[in-house]
Amino acid sequence: MTADKVVFILCAFLIVSSALMVVTTRKLIHAALWLVAALFGVAILFVLLQAAFLAVVQVVVYIGAIAILFIFAVMLTRREMLDKGTQTRSSWWLPALIGALILGGLVLMIASQPDFARTATTIPAGVDTLRNLGTALVSPNEYVLPFEVASILMLAALIGAVYVASSDKK
Amino acid sequence: MDFLNDPINFIANWMRGLLTGWGLADGLATVIIYIVGIVVLILFAMTLDIFLVWVERKVVARFQDRLGPNRIGPFGIIQPFADIIKLIIKEDITPLGADKLLYNIGPVLAIASVIILWAILPLSSRIFGVDLNVGVLYLVAAGALGTLSIIIGGWASNNKYALLGAFRMVANMVSYEIPMVVVLLVPSILANSMSVQGITQAQSGIWFALLSPLAMLIFLVSAIAELGRSPFDLNEAESEIVAGFHIEYTGMKFGLFYAGELLHAFTFGGFLAVLFFGGYGGFFGLEKIGFFSWLNNPFVQMVVFLAKAMLGYWVIMWIKYSMPRIRIDHMLEFNWKFLTPLALVVLVNTAILSKLLENLPAWGYNLGMFFSNILIAIITIGILRRYGRKQRQLQAKLHPASLANKEQAV
């Protein structure tokens, strides 16, 4: 077993167990912090795949902005947000079954792909992945349209947020 | 390859020879060498941190016309060790109703978020942790973890002042991250690289502080805000919320927050040097002349870097001990209505000019960049002056002040 595999298994264990803790823990703020741990695990996965840019963006956007907003919102609540009742319903087996089926289906589908057993190729030393990503995002033959559409969507969301938050509405 | 020109690789190769000579596998030897390297780097940072306590206390004393610690050792240099012993033997108190686990994670995360920055800090061209091609973004990501540590510490203390401090920290960080990210793109554009080594090497001719002085100033302000130092120390404002997020922490747990803050300030002094003042190099081409080739020695570079970082740290201290704390609404207004738009203007200006002036000789490019920045600064000051005059006229027209405020709202 190579070192990469060991790190991957540890990291996968971290992600899955933290994700489980997000839904099972009774304190809301702990759930938010377990979410941070899970997102951090995903960043490690990106590092393993030699996608340093995505790893750092994962930390900046998901942990630095989204998770912190979650935690902030939770902290603003008055009580400790403790969940006291039972955490499962009587019909818990049905979603569990559906979830297991979907997971099994997905695993089967991915396993049947021809590239399933392929290991990640190492990026040759001279290639600047960051520069390639940047040019791909703005070159007309590649992703400029989705990129610009996403920008316009975000601009619309920004204007909408400003409108909703502005106090002098009639 | 000898020790003086490439110390890290020299030691690593020597250790690799030693370990494989003992019969260890090559992969395992690499892991061990990396771990040793990480531990040595952290120990270097932490040892430096001990002396930063002394530097900080001595400098603040001079700013405030006092003597500072001067009893133990020459110039009081042993004082930090006495402080450490005191911090360690103090009683460790966990407040009633605190979230024990999170309460203990807080200070650890606070210092960890600073130490991971040292991974990319280029001490010299041959002495550094790792050269990431996204180094500049890594700086921002590490800042996010720092915020998290303060939120966790403030919330887990089960204290209203601590929670208020944490709230203020979030408002502070979430807003000042934006001009910082925007302005970090300016050196990236100028150097055509996001790696800190690349940015340092691009400044061997001229410092980016001279190409874009406005970007340097905005980075300095947002760095101070991110550090939570005065005038942005709302998260621990003594006169309002006692000690803010670390109010309940005692002994070495408080010590970790304090040490983290000092090391953070020094590290940002280092990044200021790397991004805008040439880092370990930046001798304006002097090192290419044969007589000055000793400037390329990694140890000389390290001394130069540490001196520049210390100077940046000194500026941060200078501002901290001469500025009063600003009010929270002023802080947010300053960020959103002044710093963020200015940072965006500087970024757009740099991006356009770097393409327009691309084919010019170096002096034309440099002068164009510099004077465009000066022009932006003059326009900004003009706008601020007009705005200030309007505000003063409003205040002068209406009395009492409550009426003036009402007028403003309309």
Side-chain angles (χ1 to χ4, degrees):
Chain A
M1 200 152 60
T2 59
D4 271 12
K5 269 187 195 158
V6 176
V7 177
F8 174 77
I9 289 169
L10 286 177
C11 177
F13 182 73
L14 169 78
I15 296 172
V16 173
S17 53
S18 333
L20 267 177
M21 289 304 288
V22 173
V23 287
T24 52
T25 185
R26 283 175 180 273
K27 265 188 193 169
L28 205 51
I29 198 138
H30 284 187
L33 290 169
W34 280 114
L35 184 67
V36 170
L39 294 170
F40 202 78
V42 176
I44 300 173
L45 278 189
F46 281 130
V47 172
L48 282 180
L49 293 170
Q50 297 167 310
F53 178 72
L54 288 182
V56 176
V57 167
Q58 167 87 13
V59 174
V60 172
V61 173
Y62 283 94
I63 298 179
I66 293 178
I68 287 194
L69 276 186
F70 276 4
I71 295 170
F72 196 46
V74 173
M75 287 199 318
L76 283 174
T77 52
R78 193 171 282 275
R79 304 253 167 215
E80 219 178 331
M81 298 296 281
L82 218 57
D83 197 2
K84 286 204 178 66
T86 52
Q87 286 178 303
T88 50
R89 298 160 59 101
S90 57
S91 59
W92 62 272
W93 55 271
L94 188 62
L97 188 70
I98 295 171
L101 280 178
I102 291 175
L103 178 71
L106 274 176
V107 168
L108 271 180
M109 202 179 79
I110 294 168
S112 64
Q113 295 285 316
D115 283 347
F116 179 64
R118 207 173 70 178
T119 50
T121 46
T122 47
I123 297 165
V127 178
D128 190 350
T129 50
L130 190 56
R131 196 174 296 269
N132 290 348
L133 179 71
T135 36
L137 280 181
V138 291
S139 76
N141 304 331
E142 288 177 82
Y143 301 105
V144 71
L145 198 63
F147 183 65
E148 290 302 328
V149 169
S151 317
I152 291 169
L153 184 68
M154 280 181 190
L155 183 66
L158 196 66
I159 294 171
V162 170
Y163 177 74
V164 171
S166 69
S167 56
D168 45 38
K169 264 183 305 197
K170 291 278 147 41
Chain B
M1 198 186 321
D2 61 333
F3 179 72
L4 279 180
N5 286 326
D6 197 356
I8 301 295
N9 278 329
F10 180 82
I11 294 170
N13 282 332
W14 173 76
M15 271 185 69
R16 187 184 304 274
L18 191 73
L19 289 172
T20 45
W22 287 348
L24 286 177
D26 197 46
L28 193 62
T30 311
V31 172
I32 292 174
I33 289 168
Y34 278 2
I35 289 173
V36 169
I38 293 167
V39 169
V40 168
L41 187 67
I42 292 175
L43 284 181
F44 177 74
M46 294 305 283
T47 316
L48 191 71
D49 202 3
I50 295 172
F51 288 101
L52 288 182
V53 176
W54 175 77
V55 169
E56 172 103 13
R57 292 185 60 179
K58 213 62 182 168
V59 170
V60 56
R62 294 294 161 173
F63 276 126
Q64 297 172 344
D65 202 12
R66 294 186 282 117
L67 285 176
N70 63 352
R71 294 289 120 179
I72 316 172
F75 308 108
I77 199 157
I78 315 285
Q79 183 68 40
F81 295 96
D83 289 348
I84 290 172
I85 294 170
K86 188 183 82 177
L87 283 176
I88 288 174
I89 58 177
K90 285 230 171 184
E91 188 189 352
D92 177 32
I93 301 168
T94 306
L96 210 63
D99 196 318
K100 276 224 178 64
L101 182 69
L102 291 184
Y103 181 77
N104 290 326
I105 285 178
V108 177
L109 208 58
I111 196 135
S113 73
V114 181
I115 292 214
I116 57 171
L117 278 177
W118 278 70
I120 59 160
L121 206 60
L123 296 172
S124 88
S125 57
R126 311 303 277 137
I127 308 174
F128 56 91
V130 56
D131 183 26
L132 289 180
N133 63 350
V134 287
V136 165
L137 266 181
Y138 182 89
L139 175 65
V140 181
L145 293 183
T147 322
L148 201 59
S149 75
I150 287 175
I151 298 178
I152 289 178
W155 184 83
S157 299
N158 190 29
N159 179 308
K160 63 182 171 190
Y161 295 121
L163 194 61
L164 275 177
F167 283 166
R168 290 171 171 205
M169 189 64 195
V170 179
N172 195 349
M173 288 280 303
V174 170
S175 28
Y176 279 87
E177 218 167 41
I178 290 160
M180 179 177 252
V181 173
V182 171
V183 96
L184 278 175
L185 289 174
V186 171
S188 309
I189 290 173
L190 291 173
N192 258 326
S193 162
M194 276 174 109
S195 96
V196 281
Q197 284 282 351
I199 289 175
T200 310
Q201 276 147 21
Q203 294 178 77
S204 65
I206 186 162
W207 292 350
F208 288 164
L210 298 175
L211 291 188
S212 190
L214 277 180
M216 189 269 290
L217 289 175
I218 297 170
F219 178 77
L220 181 64
V221 172
S222 46
I224 293 172
E226 174 152 342
L227 290 168
R229 297 201 125 201
S230 182
F232 300 102
D233 60 343
L234 298 142
N235 54 349
E236 47 184 301
E238 300 88 355
S239 47
E240 301 162 26
I241 50 174
V242 193
F245 63 94
H246 62 62
I247 185 168
E248 294 285 3
Y249 285 94
T250 53
M252 206 56 209
K253 285 182 193 161
F254 161 74
L256 283 183
F257 274 122
Y258 186 66
E261 190 204 319
L262 294 186
L263 193 61
H264 208 170
F266 178 81
T267 316
F268 264 110
F271 275 109
L272 189 70
V274 168
L275 295 168
F276 293 102
F277 292 96
Y280 54 76
F283 304 111
F284 302 101
L286 203 66
E287 77 278 10
K288 290 191 186 98
I289 303 165
F291 178 68
F292 288 107
S293 61
W294 51 270
L295 285 173
N296 289 321
N297 183 284
F299 289 101
V300 176
Q301 287 178 336
M302 195 163 145
V303 171
V304 169
F305 173 81
L306 289 178
K308 282 180 182 171
M310 205 52 107
L311 203 64
Y313 177 45
W314 183 78
V315 170
I316 292 172
M317 278 192 282
W318 181 18
I319 295 170
K320 169 167 180 171
Y321 293 115
S322 23
M323 300 277 284
R325 185 180 310 123
I326 62 171
R327 233 165 61 190
I328 187 151
D329 56 329
H330 288 172
M331 179 200 84
L332 291 174
E333 228 163 81
F334 178 66
N335 173 63
W336 291 108
K337 295 186 180 167
F338 177 68
L339 220 50
T340 309
L342 185 62
L344 286 170
V345 169
V346 171
L347 173 66
V348 171
N349 170 60
T350 312
I352 293 174
L353 275 191
S354 71
K355 275 292 161 207
L356 280 183
L357 306 176
E358 205 173 23
N359 298 322
L360 256 62
W363 60 268
Y365 180 86
N366 295 345
L367 281 180
M369 280 290 177
F370 177 73
F371 281 112
S372 71
N373 263 265
I374 297 295
L375 189 68
I376 293 173
I378 291 171
I379 294 172
T380 311
I381 291 170
I383 292 173
L384 284 181
R385 187 174 288 160
R386 271 189 62 187
Y387 179 75
R389 192 182 300 139
K390 228 168 76 185
Q391 289 296 312
R392 278 194 299 275
Q393 279 169 352
L394 262 178
Q395 294 285 329
K397 212 160 50 184
L398 287 162
H399 277 284
S402 61
L403 269 177
N405 283 336
K406 219 175 264 172
E407 182 76 8
Q408 261 176 310
V410 174

